[in-house]
């Protein structure tokens, strides 16, 4: 059966032909009501009636969805287009814990237009081909539309069907109480809708869509990873500022050891913990440069236990960090696991073990009481310096262990998409009538 025959059969089966216009309107309105998309339908109808500003600019009318049978909730990230606006990508994601199929072959998509009366109508952009996209096991999925001409501003009803239900909801036991009571397809299949307008100016440009061939990993990077990566890089930069302040405090309090005395006694500078020795924060912060670009960098020969040393400023997740980090002959899964198993409290222990020796050879911590009023000046400077070391060690551990791993985890996600991402063109159908 050809595409046109399939379209006719689909239209007849779900009463989308011209003989059922009134009944069809009632069906689709009911579905909008029971699926919580009344606001979506109203917004779409309002935009279509306005016919100008709203329709020309609004690319997406619903930002959340819920599947009709399994009741899985998800978010719609956006509608993206290439520079020539002949290719569009609608991206959405489920929670990481949602039980869904990660194979594009298990999904179908159906596309219809919506007119100014909020009724289903012909898709006006000619020559559209569709592909369902599954971004590996990330929980992100999408629908890629490719057209012969730039997309015409038009509100479109994109219905997505999951042909494999890996989740179960008690309401599935009674099909009469499902959200699709008035639409046989929503009762029989697990479906959800996106109301969008890829021809609108509000559709965001995605560089990866400009390539001749669709690169699923590049698209995932731009939509899902790049925003998270920026947040992590901002946190890394902020942490370097804190660490620089900590090192300045260490320098200041160390100098105070020479000038703080009690009856001729003073503290000798303690041996610097190995995890901290020689560390420097070089470069300038964004506020200190004319171009507003930070160049702060940690110079160290000691990586904290459980930490990573990544030259993150000179690259990005899409270019990859793991290849340069993982030792030759070892896979990244085993490498990351072995590093994370290292004891992360080793740096703190080094600071706790610091010796605080007075000029007469006695130990301030062990030979004197902390409540000794006469030694209070020396105890204060000891505590200040010890706290500065502790703060630096804590921030360095957060920088090299927590935040670096956060950055590397994005690299792992991208490798998942590169290895396991899939597309499916067989299950796409445009209903024109």
């Amino acid at each position: 059966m050809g595409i046109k025959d399939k379209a006719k059969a689909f239209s007849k089966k779900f009463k989308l032909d011209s003989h059922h216009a009134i009944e069809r309107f009632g069906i689709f309105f009911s579905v909008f009501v029971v699926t919580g998309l009344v606001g979506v339908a109203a917004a779409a109808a309002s935009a279509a009636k306005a016919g100008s500003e709203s329709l020309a600019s609004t690319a997406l009318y619903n930002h959340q969805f819920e599947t009709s049978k399994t009741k899985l909730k998800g978010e719609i990230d956006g509608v993206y287009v290439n520079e020539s606006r002949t290719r569009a990508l609608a991206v959405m994601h489920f929670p990481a814990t949602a039980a869904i199929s990660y194979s594009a072959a298990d999904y179908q998509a159906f596309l219809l237009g919506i007119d100014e009366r909020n009724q289903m109508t012909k898709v006006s952009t000619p020559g559209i081909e569709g592909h369902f996209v599954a971004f590996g096991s990330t929980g992100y999925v999408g629908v890629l539309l490719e057209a012969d001409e730039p997309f015409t501003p038009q509100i479109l009803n994109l219905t997505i069907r999951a042909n494999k239900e890996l989740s179960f909801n008690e309401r599935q036991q009674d099909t009469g109480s499902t959200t699709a009571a008035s639409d046989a397809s929503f009762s029989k299949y697990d479906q959800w809708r996106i109301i969008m307008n890829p021809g609108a100016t509000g559709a965001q440009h995605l560089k990866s869509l400009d390539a001749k061939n669709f690169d699923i990993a590049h698209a995932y990077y731009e939509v899902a990873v790049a925003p998270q990566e920026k947040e992590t890089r901002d946190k890394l930069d902020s942490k370097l500022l804190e660490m620089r302040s900590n090192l300045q405090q260490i320098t200041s309090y160390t100098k105070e050891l020479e000038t703080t005395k009690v009856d001729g006694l003073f503290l000798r500078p303690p041996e610097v913990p190995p995890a901290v020795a020689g560390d420097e924060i070089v470069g300038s912060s964004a506020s200190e440069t004319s171009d507003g670009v930070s160049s702060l960098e940690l110079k160290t020969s000691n990586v904290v236990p459980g930490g990573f040393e990544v030259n993150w400023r000179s690259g990005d997740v899409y270019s990859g960090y793991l290849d340069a980090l993982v030792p030759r002959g070892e896979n990244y899964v085993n490498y990351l696991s072995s590093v994370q198993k290292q004891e992360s409290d080793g740096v703190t222990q080094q600071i706790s073990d610091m010796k605080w020796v007075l000029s007469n050879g006695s130990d301030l911590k062990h030979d004197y009481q902390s409540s000794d009023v006469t030694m209070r000046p020396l105890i204060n400077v000891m505590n200040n310096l010890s706290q500065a070391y502790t703060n630096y060690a804590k921030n360095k551990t957060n920088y090299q262990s927590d935040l670096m791993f956060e950055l590397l985890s994005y690299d792992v996600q991208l490798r998942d998409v590169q290895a396991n991402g899939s597309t499916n063109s067989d299950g796409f159908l445009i209903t024109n009538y």
Side-chain angles (χ1 to χ4, degrees):
M1 182 182 292
I3 294 296
K4 290 185 178 179
D5 292 330
K6 288 182 178 179
K8 289 180 180 179
F10 180 87
S11 298
K12 183 177 181 181
K13 181 177 180 180
F14 295 112
K15 300 180 180 182
L16 298 176
D17 56 290
S18 59
H19 299 292
H20 296 83
I22 296 176
E23 184 178 357
R24 180 174 66 250
F25 176 79
I27 288 175
F28 278 102
F29 184 77
S30 297
V31 173
F32 277 128
V33 171
V34 295
T35 56
L37 291 178
V38 176
V40 172
S46 175
K49 288 178 180 178
S52 55
E53 190 172 335
S54 181
L55 180 61
S57 61
T58 306
L60 183 64
Y61 293 90
N62 59 316
H63 296 273
Q64 291 85 34
F65 64 88
E66 182 179 273
T67 60
S68 61
K69 293 183 66 180
T70 57
K71 307 301 177 189
L72 291 177
K73 297 181 185 294
E75 295 185 13
I76 304 169
D77 297 82
V79 177
Y80 308 90
V81 293
N82 62 347
E83 190 171 7
S84 62
R85 308 185 78 83
T86 57
R87 181 184 280 170
L89 177 67
V91 180
M92 65 221 78
H93 68 273
F94 292 89
T97 56
I100 63 170
S101 172
Y102 300 136
S103 172
D106 293 330
Y107 297 89
Q108 290 178 270
F110 307 94
L111 189 68
L112 305 103
I114 301 176
D115 66 15
E116 67 278 1
R117 294 172 297 170
N118 201 25
Q119 295 188 34
M120 300 304 108
T121 188
K122 180 179 180 179
V123 176
S124 57
T125 304
I128 295 179
E129 292 184 359
H131 318 270
F132 191 86
V133 182
F135 297 94
S137 60
T138 63
Y140 279 75
V141 295
V143 174
L144 177 69
L145 303 177
E146 298 180 293
D148 294 337
E149 301 175 5
F151 286 95
T152 302
Q154 181 188 21
I155 300 174
L156 301 176
N157 175 356
L158 178 64
T159 298
I160 301 170
R161 175 183 298 173
N163 289 320
K164 280 191 177 179
E165 299 171 19
L166 304 184
S167 298
F168 177 78
N169 187 286
E170 290 182 0
R171 282 177 282 183
Q172 288 178 251
Q173 297 181 53
D174 178 9
T175 56
S177 63
T178 64
T179 60
S182 59
D183 187 327
S185 68
F186 276 75
S187 292
K188 186 176 182 180
Y189 302 102
D190 205 22
Q191 301 184 159
W192 68 96
R193 281 193 176 97
I194 297 176
I195 308 300
M196 64 179 191
N197 178 10
T201 57
Q204 303 173 55
H205 175 232
L206 210 62
K207 290 183 180 179
S208 58
L209 295 179
D210 293 329
K212 182 179 180 180
N213 298 316
F214 176 65
D215 185 337
I216 187 171
H218 194 185
Y220 177 75
Y221 171 75
E222 286 191 272
V223 173
V225 176
Q228 298 180 76
E229 180 183 11
K230 183 183 183 306
E231 290 182 8
T232 300
R233 293 169 74 95
D234 288 344
K235 288 189 286 187
L236 284 164
D237 208 40
S238 177
K239 191 57 61 176
L240 285 172
L241 269 176
E242 287 188 65
M243 292 163 65
R244 186 176 71 173
S245 177
N246 297 148
L247 289 178
Q248 290 171 346
Q249 291 172 348
I250 288 172
T251 299
S252 177
Y253 290 136
T254 300
K255 288 181 179 179
E256 285 188 18
L257 296 180
E258 302 173 4
T259 58
T260 304
K261 298 180 180 181
V262 173
D263 197 22
L265 291 176
F266 60 90
L267 271 169
R268 300 186 185 281
E271 183 177 350
V272 179
V276 179
D279 282 11
E280 290 182 278
I281 304 296
V282 299
S284 303
S285 67
S287 62
E288 297 166 342
T289 60
S290 58
D291 58 4
V293 177
S294 174
S295 61
L296 291 177
E297 180 185 354
L298 168 63
K299 293 288 188 180
T300 181
S301 57
N302 302 292
V303 178
V304 300
F308 306 89
E309 189 170 22
V310 179
N311 186 8
W312 56 274
R313 284 204 192 278
S314 63
D316 56 39
V317 171
Y318 186 68
S319 301
Y321 293 115
L322 287 170
D323 287 338
L325 190 64
V326 179
R328 181 173 296 182
E330 187 173 358
N331 63 63
Y332 72 86
V333 175
N334 290 340
Y335 171 74
L336 293 177
S337 177
S338 64
V339 172
Q340 284 191 293
K341 289 178 181 177
Q342 297 173 4
E343 295 294 333
S344 60
D345 60 351
V347 181
T348 304
Q349 188 61 47
Q350 289 180 18
I351 295 171
S352 298
D353 293 341
M354 291 175 69
K355 303 297 184 182
W356 300 92
V357 181
L358 291 168
S359 53
N360 65 357
S362 61
D363 190 307
L364 181 59
K365 289 183 69 175
H366 296 96
D367 296 337
Y368 300 87
Q369 298 292 325
S370 59
S371 58
D372 192 332
V373 176
T374 59
M375 302 301 289
R376 179 57 56 192
L378 298 178
I379 291 175
N380 284 342
V381 72
M382 176 187 70
N383 288 340
N384 289 339
L385 182 55
S386 178
Q387 188 61 53
Y389 273 117
T390 299
N391 292 341
Y392 177 77
K394 179 181 177 181
N395 285 324
K396 183 179 180 181
T397 298
N398 182 242
Y399 177 84
Q400 288 193 320
S401 181
D402 303 327
L403 294 178
M404 288 297 186
F405 182 77
E406 191 173 287
L407 198 64
L408 295 175
S409 70
Y410 304 145
D411 201 336
V412 172
Q413 288 179 35
L414 200 59
R415 287 174 180 243
D416 170 27
V417 175
Q418 290 170 328
N420 304 308
S422 59
T423 60
N424 174 35
S425 305
D426 296 335
F428 183 82
L429 181 65
I430 296 179
T431 303
N432 289 329
Y433 55 95

